[in-house]
Every structure is written in C-alpha cells, then in structure tokens.
Amino acid sequence: MMNRQSPMDDETRTMLRSLSQAIALLRETDFTPGFASEENASLLQLLGIRAGAAEAVTASVPQQVSRWRDIVSQNGIEALKNLFSQSRVIPFSDWTGVHHAADLWYGLLADVIRPMARNDWEFIFYLGNPANRHFFDVDEILDVMGSFTRNGNVTLALDEREAWGVWSVLFGGKDLPEFGMQDPDAKGRYRALFQTLDIRRLIIYSETHAALVMQNTYFEIARPPVPADMHHEHERDNFIEGYALGLKTGMEPAQCLILGIATAGSISGAQPAKAAVRDFLSGWLNGI
C-alpha cells in the first residue's frame, strides 16, 4: 500500500520549497551576519545589541560607559539616529548578559526610535534564563520590551526551558514541575504567555521542535535532526541571524522561523552560508 503524506507534511514541503526559491534570489552578501559595520560594533555591544560577525571587535568606547546618559554624552543623539536609520531590524542581545539593560533599551526607544517616527521596525529580544532573577527585574524588562510595540513588531524568542522560567516567574508557579514543548499542556501555556506579554510574536524552540505564536496563529514545526555537536552555545545566535535575515528580506514570519532553524543547523564554515542553508533545506525536504 502506498504511504500517503499527512497534510502537515504537505504544508511543510510547500513551505520548504517556497523558502528555497526565495533564498535563491538573495545575494551571498545578504547572509553576512551583522547589524552594522565593525566601526560601530563596540557601541552596539554597549547598547546590548547584537553586532553579528563584528561582535569580537575590541570595544573602542570606554567600558565604564554603560548608562544611556553616558552613551548619549559620548556619541550624541543625531549620530545614534543616523546609525539606527540604516536598518529596520534590531536584534538585541541576551538580557541576562547586558548591564543596565532596562535603562539602555528604554533610553534608546524614548530618545532615538520614537522621535524617528517610524513604525516598520522589527525588534528581536531574548532573555537568557530568567528563573533565578527577581520577579520585579523580569517584569520590568518585559514591560520595556512591550513598549517597543508602539513602533514596530516585537519578537521574543525563548528556548523551552526559558519559556518555563518566564511562566514560573509570571504565574507564580515556582513549584510547578518543569515542562517542555512536548508537554500536553505546553501549547495552552505558551498561548497564555503570549497573551500576557505585549508582543507581536513569541518563538519557543527545543532541539526537536519550534513554535511561532501570534495573535491568531500557533504554528509549530518539527526540526530535522542534526549532529549533537550542532547544538552548541552559538546555536541560538545563528538562529537569530537567520530569523533576522528573513525579516530583513520581507519573508512571512513562519518562513523566518524556518530560515532561523536552517541557519542554526547549517553553520559549518566550509561552505558559503547561502549554499549551506539551501543544502540544509534540501536535505530537510528530502527527509520528509
């Protein structure tokens, strides 16, 4: 008897083919990581914003400059507006690794983003593990992130353990057993988490699955298996690079999610990024 593909498989195949066609039209330089040039990398790092490939650049701004007022004093508002006018996608760094994140990010929003009077921004945040942070700290930074929705789309990306950590903090369930994406109640909890936050998109992912939650959408997809050594400390960074690339090039959110998965699963260094991502998608498609 012939095996029939499930409707979910058919949908995944269609999306993978469509994404492969879209990637074929992109330039190789589109896959070069980085929010801005290397000369701006140290400033972006101090602001808690990912600078992609330029992140290893030694900071030229004094390290003690870590408050918003100091950064404005050193650089000036107009220079900062000019820097951020060059991109509409702003991928923020791991909140737990950014000193004075609430001060820096709200200052950036109030003094640079809002005065530019645009509403086409794409803001990408992730928290790190909030489980050991005080409720007030987590609540404050989530409020700051939500404030960006007045000027564009906010994506919050969490791995399944971080999602449980946020749930525990916000819903007072510290004694709740840890749950992941395969838990029977996970989908409902992720929807409730999304409804609690003032964001446009919530991404949850594990080593085997990824989900995108929006106002009227819950899209989940199984990630193709990859060698164990591909699940490393930079996997999330690579995912964010791919997701951000999709946003920059005008892809639909679900396509951006898949591109993030493909980018995280295809970094090898031996092939150009574009070829590596297309090969990953081809293998994914053939494996369904």
Side-chain angles (χ1 to χ4, degrees), residues 27 82 88 92 141 176 201 227 266:
R27 301 165 299 177
N82 182 61
R88 69 181 189 90
F92 290 88
I141 201 62
L176 181 75
R201 307 183 192 112
S266 63

Side-chain angles (χ1 to χ4, degrees), residues 1 29 62 90 98 102 108 138 156 170 210 232 234 240 253 271 276:
M1 180 181 295
T29 54
I90 302 181
V98 180
L108 173 67
V138 177
L156 176 61
L170 295 184
H232 48 68
H234 299 298
I240 295 296
Q271 295 175 288

Side-chain angles (χ1 to χ4, degrees), residues 23-257:
I23 289 173
L25 300 176
L26 299 180
R27 301 165 299 177
E28 190 65 50
T29 54
D30 291 327
F31 288 78
T32 302
F35 170 83
S37 61
E38 291 189 1
E39 67 225 44
N40 296 317
S42 57
L43 174 57
L44 292 173
Q45 288 169 11
L46 286 176
L47 286 168
I49 295 172
R50 287 185 46 73
E55 290 208 330
V57 176
T58 302
S60 59
V61 181
Q63 289 297 320
Q64 67 269 23
V65 179
S66 56
R67 292 282 189 176
W68 176 248
R69 63 176 179 269
D70 300 318
I71 289 176
V72 171
S73 177
Q74 290 279 336
N75 298 274
I77 290 294
E78 291 307 314
L80 290 166
K81 287 181 180 178
N82 182 61
L83 171 61
F84 285 94
S85 68
Q86 299 173 31
S87 177
R88 69 181 189 90
V89 181
I90 302 181
F92 290 88
S93 299
D94 179 343
W95 166 61
T96 58
V98 180
H99 294 296
H100 310 303
D103 171 67
L104 291 171
W105 296 349
Y106 190 78
L108 173 67
L109 174 63
D111 295 341
V112 175
I113 300 298
R114 284 178 178 167
M116 292 175 71
R118 289 170 47 187
N119 59 8
D120 63 340
W121 299 91
E122 295 284 354
F123 306 106
I124 307 170
F125 292 96
Y126 53 105
L127 289 176
N129 186 4
N132 297 323
R133 293 299 190 99
H134 293 298
F135 168 81
F136 298 107
D137 292 333
V138 177
D139 191 54
E140 177 187 42
I141 201 62
L142 290 174
D143 280 346
V144 170
M145 293 175 183
S147 298
F148 281 80
T149 59
R150 311 306 186 267
N151 294 90
N153 296 312
V154 171
T155 298
L156 176 61
L158 305 169
D159 68 29
E160 60 181 348
R161 186 165 191 186
E162 293 165 357
W164 169 77
V166 177
W167 172 273
S168 299
V169 170
L170 295 184
F171 293 94
K174 292 189 175 180
D175 296 328
L176 181 75
E178 185 172 336
F179 64 87
M181 294 194 70
Q182 299 308 297
D183 188 282
D185 296 324
K187 183 175 180 180
R189 288 171 175 164
Y190 295 152
R191 283 187 180 277
L193 187 58
F194 171 81
Q195 294 294 340
T196 302
L197 303 173
D198 190 7
I199 57 177
R200 296 285 188 269
R201 307 183 192 112
L202 174 65
I203 290 174
I204 312 289
Y205 60 93
S206 68
E207 291 187 0
T208 60
H209 288 77
L212 172 68
V213 188
M214 298 187 292
Q215 186 60 46
N216 298 309
T217 303
Y218 189 98
F219 171 76
E220 184 171 337
I221 192 166
R223 296 178 62 177
V226 297
D229 61 1
M230 294 301 290
H231 297 301
H232 48 68
E233 60 180 333
H234 299 298
E235 182 180 15
R236 186 215 297 271
D237 295 335
N238 296 333
F239 171 85
I240 295 296
E241 293 290 353
Y243 179 77
L245 172 61
L247 294 177
K248 290 175 186 175
T249 52
M251 296 181 183
E252 294 297 317
Q255 287 184 309
C256 297
L257 179 74

